[in-house]
Amino acid sequence: MFQGHIDLETAMPVEASAIPDVLFERGLYWASGRSGVVNLVAAHKWFNLAALKGRSDAIQLRREVAEMMSEVEIAMAQREARTWMTAH
């Protein structure tokens, strides 16, 4: 049984704290080819968003994905990330 104290003044909803993890998982999904297709543009986009939301480990994975991409693909991923940010 829990016998502690929850400070409701500083508590955050689960959804708000889980968002970087969900974005990171989406990056892994596309980078690993779990869907049957590796999509580096999508992987870069999701790792970029996860990094912006505080997942520091997404920065390194975004770099690794970017090394396999052309400049045009990177620009496309960044554009898609900006579009997602403005919509959400």
Side-chain angles (χ1 to χ4, degrees), residues 1-86:
M1 178 189 309
F2 177 77
Q3 295 181 343
H5 172 73
I6 297 176
D7 184 356
L8 296 177
E9 299 285 321
T10 60
M12 290 178 45
V14 173
E15 299 83 30
S17 63
I19 288 174
D21 297 335
V22 171
L23 299 173
F24 185 80
E25 283 296 321
R26 288 183 182 180
L28 289 176
Y29 177 83
W30 289 109
S32 67
R34 286 188 217 160
S35 66
V37 175
V38 173
N39 184 332
L40 298 179
V41 172
H44 188 282
K45 166 190 163 181
W46 293 115
F47 286 141
N48 194 17
L49 292 167
L52 288 170
K53 295 287 186 176
R55 279 292 298 250
S56 58
D57 52 346
I59 296 169
Q60 180 58 37
L61 291 176
R62 181 185 60 201
R63 281 188 197 128
E64 290 177 20
V65 168
E67 289 175 4
M68 297 180 273
M69 298 169 68
S70 70
E71 289 181 20
V72 171
E73 291 171 319
I74 293 170
M76 188 183 320
Q78 290 172 337
R79 199 169 28 255
E80 288 182 15
R82 281 191 299 274
T83 300
W84 189 91
M85 287 293 289
T86 58

